[in-house]
Amino acid sequence: MALGAVFAVKARDHAGFVPEHTAAATAALTGLSVADAVALADDTAVDPYGSGPVPQYEVWRRRIHARFAADRVGR
């Protein structure tokens, strides 16, 4: 759920429309603020034209997932 929430927040931010309820939903699903979720998406972004054995979207998804997994281990 957290991964999907990060993608959704990034999409809303990119579109320039982040409704008020987004902050509460983002905090509940990710434990992050809207700004922190957008920063996470940006910090883990990949070159959309990159190539490799794994699709770039999957690399991005795995990077975000790894951040949440690392946070769980650190608790």
Side-chain angles (χ1 to χ4, degrees), residues 1-18 22 25-26 29-30 32-34 36-46 55-68:
M1 299 262 308
L3 177 65
V6 170
F7 287 146
V9 170
K10 176 58 184 171
R12 288 180 172 189
D13 180 72
H14 182 73
F17 179 66
V18 182
T22 303
T26 302
L29 295 171
T30 68
L32 302 171
S33 67
V34 168
D36 288 341
V38 170
L40 174 57
D42 290 343
D43 292 347
T44 56
V46 295
Q56 294 300 292
Y57 175 82
E58 179 62 16
V59 173
W60 188 32
R61 189 195 73 73
R62 288 178 185 180
R63 288 178 180 177
I64 293 172
H65 181 267
R67 292 279 182 95
F68 284 109

